[in-house]
Amino acid sequence: MAAKGRMDNANDEDAADAARVVGGDPSAFDGIVQRWQQRLVGLAWRFCRDRALAEDMAQEAFVKAYRALAGFRGESAFGTWLTSVALNTYRSRLRQLGPPLATLDPARVLAREPGLLRGLEEGQRDEAVRRAVLTLPPRYRDAIVLYYFHEMDVAETARVLDLAEGTLKAHLHRGRELLKRRCETLGLRPEGAA
Amino acid sequence: MTLDDLDRALRGDEPIAPSSGFAASVRAAVAEDAAAPPPLRFPWLRLALGMAACLVVAAAGTLLAVSAAAPLAVGMRALEPLLQPLGYAGLALVLSLALLRLPVLLMRRF
């Protein structure tokens, strides 16, 4: 209940700041940046695992949101709208950058050295799993990244992706199966397994 | 590796904090954007002309294909000298578009 109250307050503040920006006071955008910088940089980080690039992508997302603020009608929560703007910005940038690091492509890695990642420490293994997500086809990558970013909230993830919840669940299921196979191909094993 | 292992790895992703100068950098970028002249308007007229030209080329290609199978109607015979070059241009256009699209389709599939 308290968390919902905080969210409502933040949403009110965002709506008020957005209205001030649209009304001709660009300094009101600072409040939006202060409240959302952590989330936008965090989301960008999950899409690229590179701090400098994440900040650059988040900055671009803020600029695009600033330009598009006049189009925010309050039909969805401000956070949902802003996350959608950021997601589109990140997708577009990732498309420009091309496929993620070629060395993460399991087929190429395994062609040289099967089971390359076997025997990693737990933290390294988890990080390898997160990086492997970036090699998935975009529709599965986006679903998985946002689902865990939103702490496994299917409804919010579906709203941001503009998908039906059933479609999102199908993407999550297919994406996780694909990720599991890729991780196995890379030689990633659960802790304690031979 | 089980789906639970994947869940655990993905849930445990620690967020990063923006660097101290990030908000100031965004402020500067937004101010710069606000001061910039409005972007150029999308060239709808040129797009429409281009699309119309593509349609003419595609129609000529279709006519060429049809005329190869059956003789042209009397009214269309005046167009005959134009049909072959336009038809080849149409074929080249379609092939170029297909070649551009193919890698994207393959990337999505695999």
Side-chain angles (χ1 to χ4, degrees), chain B residues 3 10-11 13 34 44 48 53-54 59 80-81 85 94 98-99 107:
Chain B
L3 291 177
L10 295 171
R11 268 202 316 263
D13 196 0
W44 289 109
C54 286
E80 206 161 4
V94 170
L99 285 173
M107 281 291 296

Side-chain angles (χ1 to χ4, degrees), chain B residues 54-104:
Chain B
C54 286
L55 282 175
V56 168
V57 167
T62 310
L63 275 175
L64 179 69
V66 171
S67 70
L72 280 177
V74 179
M76 302 291 283
R77 286 200 184 131
L79 295 175
E80 206 161 4
L82 286 177
L83 286 181
Q84 195 165 8
L86 283 174
Y88 284 127
L91 186 62
L93 185 70
V94 170
L95 275 176
S96 305
L97 289 175
L99 285 173
L100 276 175
R101 191 76 191 140
L102 186 66
V104 178

Side-chain angles (χ1 to χ4, degrees), chain A residues 5-193:
Chain A
R6 276 198 301 277
M7 275 180 69
D8 287 345
N9 283 343
N11 210 21
D12 290 346
E13 287 177 55
D14 292 327
D17 282 344
R20 282 177 55 202
V21 172
V22 173
D25 177 9
S27 67
F29 197 68
D30 286 354
I32 292 173
V33 174
Q34 289 297 339
R35 282 188 293 281
W36 289 96
Q37 57 175 336
Q38 175 92 40
R39 279 188 73 80
L40 259 55
V41 171
L43 181 59
W45 159 256
R46 288 183 186 224
F47 274 105
C48 66
R49 319 297 301 175
D50 176 312
R51 171 184 280 278
L53 181 58
E55 292 200 352
D56 198 40
M57 293 200 311
Q59 177 172 309
E60 189 183 341
F62 273 121
V63 172
K64 286 195 174 166
Y66 177 81
R67 283 187 210 144
L69 260 185
F72 173 61
R73 307 257 176 252
E75 288 154 0
S76 59
F78 183 82
T80 306
W81 176 82
L82 184 61
T83 310
S84 297
V85 172
L87 178 64
N88 287 333
T89 307
Y90 301 164
R91 279 170 168 163
S92 167
R93 180 68 84 86
L94 292 172
R95 265 198 304 273
Q96 286 168 14
L97 291 172
L101 301 172
T103 49
L104 278 174
D105 181 343
R108 292 188 194 182
V109 170
L110 288 173
R112 291 197 297 269
E113 201 168 344
L116 181 70
L117 303 179
R118 194 170 294 146
L120 291 181
E121 296 296 323
E122 186 180 353
Q124 294 170 311
R125 203 173 49 232
D126 289 352
E127 183 59 22
V129 170
R130 291 167 202 143
R131 284 177 184 270
V133 172
L134 307 182
T135 69
L136 294 176
R139 60 181 177 278
Y140 303 136
R141 175 201 65 194
D142 296 351
I144 290 179
V145 167
L146 275 166
Y147 175 68
Y148 287 99
F149 180 72
H150 285 300
E151 294 164 356
M152 299 194 285
D153 181 342
V154 171
E156 179 62 10
T157 306
R159 273 195 294 274
V160 170
L161 287 169
D162 198 18
L163 290 175
E165 288 188 21
T167 309
L168 171 66
K169 284 178 186 169
H171 284 187
L172 285 171
H173 175 75
R174 175 90 181 100
R176 285 196 294 192
E177 286 295 334
L178 196 54
L179 179 63
K180 177 171 171 276
R181 281 207 300 277
R182 288 203 173 173
C183 288
E184 285 169 353
T185 312
L186 285 167
L188 292 169
R189 295 282 184 273
E191 201 173 9

